């Protein structure tokens, strides 16, 4: 499916990091984009910068009503063809750490945002896509964001790794569920990327993390993630699969 000025896209977590890069890529390709992010995010600033083909829907991905409102905003722009889920939190902590056993609520919060929030977007976007005319065989494409931590969970990533591996499990099943609707479902599992979280680390730490990547030996750029989103949208045979975008990195225990 080609991206053009009739394409409408939703991007959760679209006001920063991988989500912002995706918004910018889709906008540059001509799409109309709805940024879905928290009220205190930079969503309104991005709209002011990028212009009238971009809108901001302040929402918590866990909230069904707020997310439905975001979808309705997108439908006002035309047929929703693309949904990208980039909203997420890390929630680092061990099962049993220095302060004792991990609070159950901490685990639940990470699962709620990363996994349930992803499914919330998927189900509502898919419903909006079902009424679309088929273009190149597709009514829509949904791209979810996981992490290589879902495969290679490190010490302190038990909640985060669980949430991301849950997205792996969602991918094929959702793709099969939605196949008869003409909707493809894919997941990207990034490695170490230069996100706002990484940007705050000391230079030597970032250099060390980059050097651990076999090739290219550096941190990934958010623009490379966004390019992968575009390539998934445009490649009709990609469906029900998780793509590792990590330069052949396999994370060690620590």
């Amino acid at each position: 499916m080609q991206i053009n000025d009739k394409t409408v896209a939703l991007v959760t977590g679209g006001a920063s990091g991988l989500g912002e890069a995706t918004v910018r890529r889709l906008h540059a390709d001509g799409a109309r984009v709805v940024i879905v992010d928290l009220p205190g995010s930079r969503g309104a600033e991005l709209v002011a910068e990028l212009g009238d083909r971009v809108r901001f829907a302040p929402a918590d991905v866990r909230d069904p009503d707020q997310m439905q409102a975001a979808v309705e905003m997108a439908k006002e722009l035309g047929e929703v063809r693309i949904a990208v889920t980039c909203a997420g939190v890390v929630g680092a902590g061990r099962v049993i750490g220095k302060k004792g056993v991990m609070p159950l609520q901490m685990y639940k919060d990470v699962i709620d945002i990363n996994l349930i929030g992803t499914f919330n977007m998927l189900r509502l976007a898919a419903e909006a896509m079902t009424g679309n005319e088929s273009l190149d065989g597709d009514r829509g494409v949904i791209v979810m964001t996981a992490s290589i931590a879902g495969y290679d969970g490190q010490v302190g990533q038990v909640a985060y790794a669980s949430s991301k591996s849950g997205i792996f499990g969602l991918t094929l099943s959702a793709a099969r569920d939605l196949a008869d609707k003409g909707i493809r479902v894919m997941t990207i599992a990034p490695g170490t990327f230069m996100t706002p979280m990484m940007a705050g680390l000391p230079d030597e730490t970032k250099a060390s993390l980059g050097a651990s990547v076999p090739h290219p030996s550096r941190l990934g750029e958010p623009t490379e993630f966004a390019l992968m989103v575009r390539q998934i949208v445009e490649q009709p045979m990609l469906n029900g699969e998780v793509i590792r975008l990590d330069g052949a990195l396999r994370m060690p225990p620590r």
Side-chain angles (χ1 to χ4, degrees):
M1 184 172 65
Q2 296 301 306
I3 302 169
N4 55 43
D5 60 359
K6 292 183 175 61
T7 306
V8 178
L10 280 154
V11 182
T12 67
S16 66
L18 303 180
E20 178 181 347
T22 301
V23 168
R24 292 181 181 278
R25 174 71 272 164
L26 295 172
H27 176 265
D29 290 338
R32 307 169 201 178
V33 188
V34 173
I35 299 167
V36 185
D37 215 316
L38 294 172
S41 70
R42 295 180 54 254
E45 294 176 39
L46 280 178
V47 170
E49 176 191 341
L50 296 175
D52 60 4
R53 283 192 288 109
V54 182
R55 294 189 184 180
F56 174 45
D60 185 321
V61 292
R62 297 169 291 184
D63 188 294
D65 294 335
Q66 292 179 12
M67 292 304 295
Q68 185 64 62
V71 172
E72 294 304 319
M73 180 183 289
K75 288 166 68 176
E76 291 174 3
L77 299 176
E79 294 183 336
V80 179
R81 294 283 178 178
I82 301 170
V84 186
T85 66
C86 293
V89 295
V90 176
R94 298 189 182 199
V95 177
I96 302 176
K98 293 180 180 179
K99 296 182 180 180
V101 67
M102 174 184 284
L104 185 59
Q105 192 59 50
M106 176 182 173
Y107 187 87
K108 286 182 175 180
D109 287 345
V110 175
I111 298 296
D112 278 351
I113 295 170
N114 292 0
L115 179 55
I116 296 176
T118 292
F119 179 72
N120 195 25
M121 178 77 271
L122 179 145
R123 71 187 185 94
L124 296 175
E127 182 185 36
M129 292 171 179
T130 56
N132 295 345
E133 292 294 324
S134 180
L135 292 177
D136 304 322
D138 289 331
R139 288 190 172 88
V141 181
I142 298 169
V143 182
M144 303 183 292
T145 304
S147 168
I148 62 170
Y151 297 112
D152 309 329
Q154 295 183 294
V155 169
Q157 289 188 325
V158 61
Y160 183 69
S162 296
S163 69
K164 295 304 186 178
S165 62
I167 295 173
F168 297 164
L170 177 59
T171 306
L172 180 59
S173 183
R176 288 173 166 173
D177 271 4
L178 297 171
D180 64 347
K181 308 294 190 297
I183 298 169
R184 292 188 285 120
V185 181
M186 288 287 295
T187 291
I188 302 172
T192 49
F193 271 66
M194 183 59 80
T195 61
M197 180 182 68
M198 287 288 186
L201 296 175
D203 289 342
E204 57 270 23
T205 302
K206 288 185 284 189
S208 175
L209 288 169
S212 68
V213 181
H215 180 70
S217 293
R218 58 171 175 79
L219 298 178
E221 294 292 339
T223 53
E224 294 167 324
F225 175 91
L227 177 61
M228 187 77 260
V229 171
R230 175 185 174 179
Q231 291 167 333
I232 287 171
V233 170
E234 293 184 343
Q235 170 54 267
M237 281 300 288
L238 284 175
N239 193 18
E241 185 57 90
V242 179
I243 298 176
R244 289 185 70 130
L245 194 65
D246 61 6
L249 175 64
R250 299 297 181 267
M251 299 293 286
R254 299 174 187 271

